[in-house]
Amino acid sequence: MSYTVDRRGFLRAAGAGAAALGLGGAVASCDSGTTGTVTLTWWDYFTLDNFQPGMNRLIKDIEANVPNVRIERRTFPFAELDRQITLGAISGELPDIAIVDNVAMNSLGGSRLLADLTGRVKEWGQADQYYKGPWEGCQVAGKTLGIPNNSNCLALYRNTRMLESAKVAPPTNWGELASAAERLTSGDRFGLALSAIKTEEGVFQFLPFLWQAGGDLDTFATDGATALSFLDDLVAKGSLSEQCVGWTQQDVNTRFLDQRAALQINGPWQIPTLKKAAFDWEVVALPRDKEAATCLGGENWVIMASSDHVDKAWEVLEYTQRPSVLVPYLVSFGNLPARKDLADEGTWASDPALRLFLSQLPLARPRQYGPHYADASQAVAEAEQAVLTGSASPSAAARTAAAKIDKALGER
């Protein structure tokens, strides 16, 4: 999820490349009139072996039930997909359909690469079936440029025995979280583990604290300082390891599994591994400050504006959203639905942990900040790193980051 300088350069080039190639939103609004089988190219980043059975079943299902369509799928590593789309905008070789990380809507949404689905969605009449956060994550400049593929968010995992032994109740606000983390810290065990790595992964985990403080990126100088101060105090008291500045979310889960952390902030994708744990655990909502908030993760379906088969591609997207198709697909991936009307179906209907995450989706906020979000995200990551490593105070780091963030947001 990192946003490097090279990647941002490619994203900036995408707009110019798209314009040079004439890839505007009005391009290819209809299929070319071919009456035979249409081959749709499809790109995604689900490369791991455990994803293939579910994806292959979905594609076979589409080919069997959407008339006259064949899917030609290509996968890329997670960090490469956006870059390949940007390169494709310059070379003129783009897919018809892609599944992209929802945060990529910031860069892709402003590049004129994505087909405008607004009219089709209105005719479809299903928009109100989606949770607010996932649906808003597909809206750019008043247009619907994607359909949620799946959703996830962050919550707080707790080692049940550790908290009961310490007579600590699940924390519901920042004060209780700080107190619980301090009381649960012992020896080489920290009370809390979270990811503060200098990538989008760390920003994904930081933003809930900013929102819970009652702020947003445009108030980072003040509310960002509040969130940074809270985390800095946890490190200062020894409740949170300063090594979290190098931890991925997988690293955080490993420490929780090894019982070197009594609490961890993480997502539902960790549940399959945690079900093999040698101890009992539970999931609760993230503790709140002024507000309750969590960060939205997941993927979106998009159609490229350059496609010669936008109508057929839309048929495919619409088909994937049918409950009889979507539920088994999400179950096979271990994902949560972005649709409210599926809350009582699938494994998430009976699994208490998944149920908790699903209950938090109405609070989950998308990272929808415009085409220069990558610059703002980097500023947030740098501020958190500076504070948690002791190289800057929360107020100074927040002011420095705010100047960069304001510049990035002002370039929408």
Side-chain angles (χ1 to χ4, degrees):
M1 284 185 171
S2 61
Y3 286 77
T4 65
V5 174
D6 287 343
R7 177 175 170 183
R8 291 200 301 277
F10 272 111
L11 294 177
R12 293 188 182 107
L21 292 166
L23 302 182
V27 174
S29 61
C30 298
D31 288 337
S32 59
T34 303
T35 57
T37 298
V38 171
T39 297
L40 298 178
T41 54
W42 162 327
W43 290 2
D44 64 63
Y45 52 61
F46 296 104
T47 59
L48 297 180
D49 290 344
N50 59 298
F51 293 133
Q52 305 320 308
M55 189 63 84
N56 290 337
R57 281 196 299 271
L58 175 63
I59 290 174
K60 288 182 179 178
D61 192 4
I62 290 168
E63 292 179 333
N65 293 285
V66 178
N68 304 318
V69 69
R70 177 178 173 273
I71 302 297
E72 187 176 278
R73 180 183 175 223
R74 185 179 178 188
T75 61
F76 300 89
F78 172 81
E80 283 293 308
L81 180 58
D82 288 2
R83 180 174 178 270
Q84 290 298 325
I85 290 174
T86 303
L87 287 172
I90 298 170
S91 68
E93 297 179 3
L94 284 167
D96 297 289
I97 297 171
I99 305 175
V100 300
D101 186 31
N102 63 5
V103 78
M105 300 299 286
N106 285 291
S107 54
L108 296 177
S111 66
R112 297 192 297 165
L113 294 177
L114 306 184
D116 182 1
L117 306 178
T118 307
R120 291 176 173 83
V121 165
K122 184 177 181 180
E123 183 179 351
W124 182 40
Q126 297 289 308
D128 60 351
Q129 297 299 328
Y130 292 82
Y131 291 106
K132 180 180 178 181
W135 189 256
E136 286 187 348
C138 293
Q139 311 305 303
V140 180
K143 299 177 181 178
T144 301
L145 299 184
I147 300 294
N149 175 283
N150 68 85
S151 292
N152 61 61
C153 60
L154 294 169
L156 185 71
Y157 288 84
R158 69 182 186 107
N159 183 308
T160 307
R161 181 186 59 79
M162 287 182 183
L163 269 72
E164 289 178 349
S165 296
K167 294 181 171 54
V168 173
T172 61
N173 57 53
W174 282 14
E176 292 175 359
L177 176 60
S179 175
E182 187 172 9
R183 290 173 61 184
L184 291 165
T185 298
S186 177
D188 64 352
R189 184 187 76 202
F190 288 91
L192 175 66
L194 57 80
S195 171
I197 196 168
K198 193 179 176 181
T199 67
E200 184 62 27
E201 198 167 352
V203 175
F204 178 65
Q205 292 225 340
F206 176 80
L207 285 176
F209 289 100
L210 173 64
W211 297 328
Q212 289 159 11
D216 208 335
L217 289 184
D218 59 358
T219 62
F220 200 85
T222 54
D223 297 305
T226 299
L228 290 168
S229 293
F230 178 72
L231 296 178
D232 190 36
D233 286 344
L234 293 178
V235 172
K237 292 177 180 177
S239 305
L240 171 66
S241 173
E242 68 175 23
Q243 293 181 6
C244 68
V245 297
W247 289 350
T248 66
Q249 293 175 108
Q250 188 58 48
D251 295 329
V252 171
N253 192 56
T254 297
R255 278 154 181 78
F256 185 75
L257 268 173
D258 292 344
Q259 302 193 65
R260 288 181 287 160
L263 302 165
Q264 70 156 338
I265 293 176
N266 229 312
W269 56 87
Q270 306 292 6
I271 290 175
T273 301
L274 286 169
K275 284 186 174 180
K276 303 173 185 177
F279 58 89
D280 292 332
W281 52 270
E282 292 180 349
V283 189
V284 296
L286 291 179
R288 60 180 296 156
D289 186 38
K290 293 179 180 178
E291 300 179 20
T294 186
C295 198
L296 179 70
E299 285 83 30
N300 295 331
W301 292 97
V302 295
I303 298 173
M304 294 299 155
S306 58
S307 172
D308 291 329
H309 309 293
V310 173
D311 289 342
K312 184 60 69 174
W314 170 251
E315 284 186 54
V316 169
L317 264 60
E318 185 178 356
Y319 181 76
T320 67
Q321 299 306 291
R322 297 182 183 183
S324 62
V325 178
L326 185 55
V327 170
Y329 166 77
L330 293 172
V331 169
S332 72
F333 272 58
N335 288 331
L336 294 175
R339 293 182 63 117
K340 295 179 290 187
D341 56 346
L342 298 184
D344 294 324
E345 300 187 39
T347 54
W348 51 84
S350 56
D351 185 298
L354 288 173
R355 195 77 183 168
L356 184 282
F357 279 104
L358 194 64
S359 75
Q360 296 305 294
L361 282 184
L363 299 174
R365 302 190 192 184
R367 290 156 287 170
Q368 192 69 291
Y369 292 102
H372 298 287
Y373 169 71
D375 297 309
S377 175
Q378 183 176 5
V380 172
E382 290 172 350
E384 187 175 25
Q385 291 268 313
V387 170
L388 298 188
T389 58
S391 63
S393 69
S395 58
R399 286 195 302 271
T400 299
K404 298 176 182 177
I405 292 168
D406 290 346
K407 180 181 179 182
L409 297 184
E411 293 177 350
R412 294 192 186 202

